[in-house]
Amino acid sequence: RRLKRRPPVTLLDVFQQHARRRPHRPLLRFQDEVYTYDAVERRSNRAARVFSRRLGLRPGQTVAVFLPNEPAYVWTWLALAKLGCPMACLNYNVRGRALRHALAAAQAALMLASAGE
């Protein structure tokens, strides 16, 4: 039913609805840290502002994301969704020729990676 709605309901819509209704409920547990819906909402808003103002991202620009499985991946994805930027998910374990191929196929305007990469 949700897919038939016009406009369709997105995962971003569902997340934001939960963030409004249950801001203090846990969303993510990573190692010894717990992130609530509200905390992830605030971090994704902050990331969206940085991506827009400092990096100049505009709706429709594809962004390649090369991050490990950590909480920052979630708020990066949400931030890009808020900006209307498609996200090309790159396998963090891929290197060399396979990574170059994935980047070329993504035709991304920008690549986001962790500090160590």
Side-chain angles (χ1 to χ4, degrees):
R1 283 182 285 161
R2 288 183 179 181
L3 292 175
K4 292 181 181 179
R5 289 186 190 167
R6 294 291 178 242
V9 176
T10 66
L11 287 174
L12 176 60
D13 296 328
V14 173
F15 165 78
Q16 289 178 319
Q17 183 180 53
H18 283 284
R20 281 190 303 276
R21 290 182 180 169
R22 303 173 188 99
H24 303 294
R25 287 186 107 176
L27 172 64
L28 298 173
R29 293 183 192 274
F30 183 76
Q31 296 174 351
D32 295 335
E33 297 186 57
V34 175
Y35 298 90
T36 64
Y37 279 93
D38 183 59
V40 173
E41 173 76 350
R42 284 185 280 113
R43 287 174 188 250
S44 66
N45 287 340
R46 190 175 316 131
R49 280 192 302 275
V50 168
F51 297 161
S52 176
R53 293 179 184 165
R54 292 193 184 161
L55 302 178
L57 281 178
R58 298 289 170 248
Q61 290 182 302
T62 300
V63 177
V65 177
F66 189 62
L67 296 173
N69 291 333
E70 59 184 27
Y73 192 97
V74 175
W75 52 77
T76 297
W77 171 74
L78 289 166
L80 293 172
K82 289 175 181 184
L83 293 174
C85 294
M87 183 169 129
C89 305
L90 302 177
N91 184 332
Y92 188 73
N93 297 308
V94 172
R95 300 288 191 268
R97 201 165 130 198
L99 179 58
R100 285 192 302 275
H101 172 74
L103 278 169
Q107 297 180 345
L110 179 76
M111 179 175 155
L112 297 175
S114 61
E117 297 303 316

